[in-house]
Amino acid sequence: MSRFFSSRYDALSPYTPGEQPQDRRYIKLNTNESPYPPSELAVRMAQEEAERMQLYSDPDCRSLTAEAAKILGFSDRELIFTNGSDDILNFAFMAFCDETHGAAFPDITYGFYPVFAALNRVPYREIPLREDFTIDPEPYFEAPENLFIANPNAPTGIALPLPLIEEIVKSNPDRIVVVDEAYVDFGGESAAPLVKKYDNLLVTRTFSKSRNLAGARLGIGIACPSLIRDLQTIRFSTNPYNINRMTMAAGVGALRDTAYFKECVHRITNTREQTVRELTALGFTVLSSRTNFVFAKHPGIGGEELYLRLKDLGILVRHFTIPRIRDFNRITIGSPEEMQALVHAIKKIL
Ligand code: PMP
């Protein structure tokens, strides 16, 4: 840290993204990317847009908003786009949380929430998951803070049923409830339709997972118009051009290509079920996943050791050193061939 770094950030310990090593070719099952390329339409539209790069992008994201409104069934005023959904989560902390409006989220969840809280100097409380890693909804009813709930949760992969999400939203009319649906397309139930009924609900989604655009950086927020206006105030006060031209065009293409989206999701969920069967047969405990990854542990080998041994064999998975989950690894669902290679490597290690 230089002597110029603001003391405002004394307590800040930045988010650690999954490894992106360049030293050799790995089978990458560590950052929940799609094993499939983007839609051809998305690529073509982004390529065409690249020829207009000398011009700023549309700060109102009109083409993307119109397409999303049509495909997802919301009005323009209920949608906001950001540079990945990480951006909108940060905007939610900036817009709705402060010293007196803290945040609460599960103790085991997306590791960026505490970072955004620290960045924005927001006090936060971690609510323990149950022993079986499911969310106990009780502590979320009439909570004293704004709530951030990844549903399905990460890295567990477990989903909270929609009626419980609705009860949480309903019981907190004076708090914001952010439901982070990064993985919802792989088998979760979306809370997004509830934004028509509750003015305290913000649903976030991403194009990084089910729409194969992690590198393009595109996220969506869905909420009632007054919350969207607040988030736009933050966006226009930080970077109104946060969606570049190519990403905007790719997003339109990815939304339009519904058939390809459905095919990829279908393939990934099928591969997931096959992987769960194979890992279970090898003696793993695999949590019930509604996402494009599985969270698994084996009684015969520690989480870190398995991670390191797989890495030696050219396969990357994600290991977390948090005590409650250090026996586990989070394994992204890749192509069937990649998962066969994983199972083969695990058999060798065991
Ligand atoms: N929420 C959760 C739960 C995630 O796992 C991720 C991906 N790391 C994100 C949000 C952010 O994804 P992105 O910024 O790529 O949209």
Side-chain angles (χ1 to χ4, degrees), residues 49 57-58 83 215-217 241-249:
E49 204 54 33
S57 57
D58 172 13
N83 192 304
R217 312 303 301 126
Y241 306 111
N242 63 345
I243 313 295
N244 71 63
R245 284 185 162 270
M246 286 75 76
T247 294
M248 210 176 302

Side-chain angles (χ1 to χ4, degrees), residues 15 31-32 82-87 89 109-113 150-155 180-183 204-209 213-214 217-220 293 318 330:
Y15 177 70
T31 45
N32 299 342
T82 53
N83 192 304
S85 58
D86 281 339
D87 232 12
L89 293 166
T109 191
Y110 184 33
F112 231 136
Y113 303 156
N151 196 38
N153 197 11
D180 173 352
E181 295 189 349
Y183 300 102
T204 65
R205 300 237 191 114
T206 181
F207 283 66
S208 298
K209 319 292 176 185
L213 287 177
R217 312 303 301 126
L218 188 58
I220 316 190
F293 59 83
R318 186 91 196 249
R330 192 194 67 190

Side-chain angles (χ1 to χ4, degrees), residues 6-28:
S6 169
S7 58
R8 227 184 357 225
Y9 301 122
D10 277 351
L12 192 59
S13 132
Y15 177 70
T16 315
E19 295 165 273
Q20 303 284 1
Q22 311 288 331
D23 58 326
R24 61 186 269 197
R25 274 183 76 86
Y26 285 95
I27 293 182
K28 269 194 93 265

Side-chain angles (χ1 to χ4, degrees), residues 39-272:
S39 133
E40 282 176 18
L41 180 63
V43 174
R44 202 165 57 242
M45 290 181 72
Q47 276 168 344
E48 282 167 16
E49 204 54 33
E51 298 188 8
R52 287 181 278 279
M53 252 197 291
Q54 78 278 20
L55 302 173
Y56 282 113
S57 57
D58 172 13
D60 296 319
C61 302
R62 276 165 291 193
S63 56
L64 194 49
T65 308
E67 194 66 35
K70 203 161 64 191
I71 303 280
L72 305 177
F74 296 93
S75 81
D76 298 7
R77 292 157 61 240
E78 292 167 326
L79 298 169
I80 182 172
F81 292 89
T82 53
N83 192 304
S85 58
D86 281 339
D87 232 12
I88 193 161
L89 293 166
N90 186 31
F91 289 176
F93 274 93
M94 290 171 80
F96 307 121
C97 301
D98 54 36
E99 283 82 355
T100 52
H101 301 86
F105 36 81
D107 61 340
I108 307 294
T109 191
Y110 184 33
F112 231 136
Y113 303 156
V115 178
F116 288 137
L119 179 67
N120 294 291
R121 294 155 69 89
V122 170
Y124 64 90
R125 180 168 64 104
E126 294 178 310
I127 303 175
L129 293 182
R130 291 188 183 116
E131 213 38 49
D132 63 359
F133 297 104
T134 57
I135 288 179
D136 173 6
E138 205 56 45
Y140 295 81
F141 297 142
E142 295 173 38
E145 308 95 343
N146 292 321
L147 300 171
F148 290 77
I149 303 173
N151 196 38
N153 197 11
T156 63
I158 298 173
L160 190 62
L162 186 57
L164 292 177
I165 291 281
E166 180 163 8
E167 270 188 64
I168 292 172
V169 175
K170 202 195 288 181
S171 81
N172 288 286
D174 298 322
R175 306 280 171 223
I176 296 289
V177 181
V178 178
V179 181
D180 173 352
E181 295 189 349
Y183 300 102
V184 75
D185 292 327
F186 300 102
E189 300 168 280
S190 179
L194 297 178
V195 305
K196 312 245 181 227
K197 203 163 149 193
Y198 299 99
D199 69 358
N200 61 324
L201 171 65
L202 167 63
V203 173
T204 65
R205 300 237 191 114
T206 181
F207 283 66
S208 298
K209 319 292 176 185
S210 56
R211 294 194 192 262
N212 319 11
L213 287 177
R217 312 303 301 126
L218 188 58
I220 316 190
I222 307 168
C224 70
S226 61
L227 291 194
I228 294 295
R229 269 198 306 277
D230 294 342
L231 293 163
Q232 292 289 18
T233 299
I234 302 291
R235 191 170 82 88
F236 276 78
S237 306
T238 49
N239 180 3
Y241 306 111
N242 63 345
I243 313 295
N244 71 63
R245 284 185 162 270
M246 286 75 76
T247 294
M248 210 176 302
V252 172
L255 283 168
R256 211 168 275 171
D257 200 348
T258 307
Y260 184 67
F261 158 73
K262 285 191 178 154
E263 184 194 327
C264 290
V265 167
H266 183 67
R267 280 202 231 165
I268 290 167
T269 49
N270 276 349
T271 310
R272 178 184 72 204

Side-chain angles (χ1 to χ4, degrees), residues 310-329:
L310 283 169
K311 190 171 175 182
D312 270 351
L313 295 174
I315 300 178
L316 282 181
V317 298
R318 186 91 196 249
H319 178 254
F320 299 88
T321 50
I322 303 165
R324 255 190 104 176
I325 54 170
R326 72 169 161 234
D327 292 339
F328 284 82
N329 279 293

